[in-house]
């Protein structure tokens, strides 16, 4: 875990969706399409972070789907006030936080949520997009093995954290990666591995590279910075286009 997972900017717009409980999890929901849905998997700031909700609103409108942002941190959230507050970062016990939200705990929870959307909620088509922490979750939902390939129809991973080579190899659905140039977490080695291995898997693959931008830009980018704003807008358009192609 790096400071790049905490820094950034909180956006000022007001989310337009609603809070509810879905499959036993607190959840933010935007849109109202009974057939097509997207899971948005949050970053370290959790399901209440305004930015992640604004992104959910965007995809609900632009793709015309129902969007779910489930709480995958068991009720814990990091305050948006931590953004760019380095003095407060040192007070966080991130190792303990991440132990409570490890892959063996949150992976099956995300899979159960996706299964619920497919069955009880009745969505015929389901996609997933994960930001930072959520990136590995998206890949697991799109994989074989413990996560049935039918859980989701396509995925997007934006500057994923904790992603492994095995998770990259296991993906079995159309996958888009949003990759900033500067990223100590989604390293140059992992970027190269993904670009070399995914085309061998026989699934549609789109690699979106963002020169000059840093880890976290697509969920915590500075709207007052022209380069970051262009990158953020492009990332949103790319993901929306990917979902329109493979879901709708």
């Amino acid at each position: 875990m790096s400071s790049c997972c905490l820094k950034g900017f909180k956006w000022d717009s007001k989310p337009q969706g609603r809070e509810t409980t879905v499959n036993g999890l607190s959840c933010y929901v935007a849109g109202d399409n009974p057939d097509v849905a997207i899971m948005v998997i949050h970053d370290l700031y959790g399901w209440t972070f305004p930015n992640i909700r604004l992104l959910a609103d965007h995809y609900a409108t632009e793709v015309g789907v129902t969007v779910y942002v489930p709480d995958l941190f068991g009720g814990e959230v990091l305050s948006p006030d931590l953004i760019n507050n380095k003095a407060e970062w040192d007070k966080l016990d991130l190792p303990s936080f991440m132990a409570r939200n490890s892959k063996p705990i949150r992976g099956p929870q995300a899979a159960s949520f996706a299964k619920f959307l497919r069955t009880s909620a009745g969505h015929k088509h389901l996609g997933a997009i994960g930001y930072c922490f959520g990136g590995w979750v998206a890949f697991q939902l799109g994989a074989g093995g413990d996560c049935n390939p039918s859980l989701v129809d396509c995925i997007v991973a934006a500057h994923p954290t904790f992603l492994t080579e095995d998770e990259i190899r296991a993906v079995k659905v159309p996958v888009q990666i949003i990759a900033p140039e500067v990223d100590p977490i989604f390293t140059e080695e992992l970027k190269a591995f993904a670009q070399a291995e995914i085309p061998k898997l026989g699934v549609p693959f789109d690699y979106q590279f963002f020169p000059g931008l840093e880890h976290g830009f697509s969920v915590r980018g500075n709207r007052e910075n022209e380069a970051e704003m262009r990158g953020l807008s492009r990332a949103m358009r790319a993901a929306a286009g990917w979902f329109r192609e493979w879901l709708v």
Side-chain angles (χ1 to χ4, degrees), residues 22-23 34 37-39 68 112-124 126-127:
V22 179
N23 197 37
I38 295 171
M39 284 177 62
Y68 298 86
S112 175
F113 190 89
K115 290 175 183 176
F116 178 88
L117 296 183
R118 284 287 211 191
T119 56
S120 298
H123 293 295
K124 298 175 184 177
L126 178 63

Side-chain angles (χ1 to χ4, degrees), residues 89-113:
W89 294 352
D90 294 336
K91 300 177 183 179
L92 294 174
D93 185 1
L94 282 178
S96 295
F97 180 81
M98 296 316 304
R100 292 191 296 274
N101 297 291
S102 64
K103 290 185 179 185
I105 296 172
R106 300 309 176 193
Q109 190 176 52
S112 175
F113 190 89

Side-chain angles (χ1 to χ4, degrees), residues 24-131:
L25 298 181
S26 297
C27 188
Y28 178 81
V29 182
D32 190 20
N33 185 324
D35 294 325
V36 188
I38 295 171
M39 284 177 62
V40 174
I41 304 143
H42 56 68
D43 69 349
L44 210 59
Y45 283 95
W47 78 289
T48 61
F49 188 39
N51 298 17
I52 204 76
R53 294 184 171 197
L54 291 169
L55 287 166
D57 290 352
H58 173 79
Y59 295 127
T61 300
E62 291 299 311
V63 189
V65 299
T66 304
V67 181
Y68 298 86
V69 186
D71 172 21
L72 294 183
F73 284 166
E76 287 189 272
V77 296
L78 296 183
S79 170
D81 295 337
L82 288 170
I83 290 182
N84 289 339
N85 191 341
K86 295 181 180 180
E88 292 297 316
W89 294 352
D90 294 336
K91 300 177 183 179
L92 294 174
D93 185 1
L94 282 178
S96 295
F97 180 81
M98 296 316 304
R100 292 191 296 274
N101 297 291
S102 64
K103 290 185 179 185
I105 296 172
R106 300 309 176 193
Q109 190 176 52
S112 175
F113 190 89
K115 290 175 183 176
F116 178 88
L117 296 183
R118 284 287 211 191
T119 56
S120 298
H123 293 295
K124 298 175 184 177
H125 304 285
L126 178 63
I129 179 169
Y131 292 89

